[in-house]
Amino acid sequence: MSRNLALELVRVTETAALASARYMGRGDKNGADGAAVEGMRLAFESIDIDGEVVIGEGELDEAPMLYIGEKLGTGNGRKTDIAVDPLEGTSLIAKGLPNAIAVLAMSEKGCLLKAPDTYMKKIVVGPEAKGCIDIDDTVTNNITRVSKALNKRISEITLIVQDRDRHKDIIDEARAIGARIKLFSDGDVASAMATCFEETGIDIFMGIGGAPEGVITAAAVKCMGGDMQAKLNPLSEEEISRCHEMGFTDEKLSKVLYLDDLAKGEDVFFAATGITSGDLLKGVVYLKNDKAKTHSIVMRSKTGTIRFVEAIHRLDKNSIMVDLMDKYKNI
């Protein structure tokens, strides 16, 4: 894939972020998500790829855009799998909270797991703790091994986990051994990615979240040289049936999914743009005279390159944004 493709993908997440950021704090998560979806889809139209959405906004009858199986790009380039979350953290932007992002991952055809819309148990660490995690082991043993790998005391290890009742056992066990805990409300991808950047102070991610988000997370972790394990974890009979319909037998549901099971291939791309400011990315800032500033990250596994991109956009000169601004002029 072309080196220039990385910057093309950043333009896609930038457009989604710019479109949805106008909804910050307005309490309209569906409106924000719809704007992000539309912006991302329009931005894809000019990219020379023959892409197919494998992780998207739903099935064809459930979402008008970016549905699973939808074709993206001009159709003239290399065949690719694409995983998208135009607005990860719909509740975050509705409430004006940190860490809402526009995010996507892309790889060669057949290289991203077609994960069912169900829950997934996940554990993630950065490059220095690679090989130290075991999703079937205890919280205590995982944290202990990570502390040794990082040359930190357990009392200096920070675990990030979503603030949900289903994670009570994880939180209780981590507290019992003296680990530090950071809770987050929403936004699996951004929180898991934080483990791969030392300056965030986050050492390990554990918990149960969305399986589609798990695949996108895996793409980012692979690009950054971190480590991840996962298991599909349906929480209802309906979710179990959904897994079976997508070819996941009971035997497959019990298997550990390693990083290459989630995102394999030699050329994985990941891009994200901040919508509201968080630990890793700054949010969209609207400036005077129809200008806006964005902060993004783009990565490629083949080269190991990680780029942070700050951009100033002239919204009145960008044809996509002109169309979107006209449509959402009352927002």
Side-chain angles (χ1 to χ4, degrees), residues 125-131 150 195-197 221 224-227:
V125 291
E128 292 186 21
K130 189 171 184 176
L150 300 181
T195 62
C196 294
F197 293 92
V221 172
M224 293 183 286
D227 201 5

Side-chain angles (χ1 to χ4, degrees), residues 4-58:
N4 294 332
L5 187 54
L7 293 179
E8 292 291 337
L9 295 179
V10 168
R11 293 187 183 101
V12 174
T13 56
E14 285 174 345
T15 304
L18 287 166
S20 62
R22 294 177 181 276
Y23 285 84
M24 188 180 79
R26 291 175 174 263
D28 184 3
K29 64 181 183 180
N30 292 331
D33 191 42
V37 169
E38 187 168 1
M40 183 170 279
R41 187 176 189 275
L42 289 172
F44 261 116
E45 290 181 355
S46 62
I47 300 179
D48 284 329
I49 55 169
D50 183 3
E52 180 179 342
V53 177
V54 297
I55 300 289
E57 290 287 290

Side-chain angles (χ1 to χ4, degrees), residues 181-201:
I181 299 168
K182 182 172 184 178
L183 299 177
F184 69 95
S185 59
D186 293 282
D188 273 23
V189 178
S191 297
M193 283 175 61
T195 62
C196 294
F197 293 92
E198 187 176 6
E199 60 268 27
T200 66

Side-chain angles (χ1 to χ4, degrees), residues 28-192:
D28 184 3
K29 64 181 183 180
N30 292 331
D33 191 42
V37 169
E38 187 168 1
M40 183 170 279
R41 187 176 189 275
L42 289 172
F44 261 116
E45 290 181 355
S46 62
I47 300 179
D48 284 329
I49 55 169
D50 183 3
E52 180 179 342
V53 177
V54 297
I55 300 289
E57 290 287 290
E59 302 294 343
L60 175 57
D61 59 347
E62 296 174 356
M65 293 173 285
L66 295 177
Y67 55 85
I68 297 170
E70 182 174 358
K71 298 292 185 180
L72 294 177
T74 64
N76 296 324
R78 185 178 298 186
K79 293 184 180 295
T80 62
D81 282 347
I82 302 172
V84 300
D85 197 344
L87 172 50
E88 203 228 355
T90 53
S91 295
L92 297 178
I93 192 169
K95 298 175 182 178
L97 296 174
N99 279 326
I101 61 174
V103 60
L104 66 86
M106 188 169 71
S107 187
E108 302 104 316
K109 186 69 176 174
C111 287
L112 295 180
L113 179 71
K114 295 184 178 180
D117 186 11
T118 185
Y119 282 92
M120 176 182 277
K121 184 179 179 182
K122 313 164 195 175
I123 181 169
V124 183
V125 291
E128 292 186 21
K130 189 171 184 176
C132 294
I133 53 174
D134 182 349
I135 199 167
D136 288 328
D137 206 347
T138 64
V139 172
T140 297
N141 287 343
N142 275 295
I143 290 177
T144 299
R145 286 193 298 270
V146 170
S147 73
K148 290 179 180 177
L150 300 181
N151 195 26
K152 289 183 176 183
R153 299 180 182 88
I154 287 179
S155 61
E156 297 171 340
I157 291 293
T158 301
L159 163 70
I160 191 165
V161 60
Q162 192 172 22
D163 188 9
R164 295 290 188 272
D165 290 342
R166 61 179 178 267
H167 296 143
K168 182 179 184 301
D169 290 346
I170 294 175
I171 294 168
D172 287 347
E173 188 172 345
R175 284 174 174 167
I177 63 172
R180 288 158 41 93
I181 299 168
K182 182 172 184 178
L183 299 177
F184 69 95
S185 59
D186 293 282
D188 273 23
V189 178
S191 297

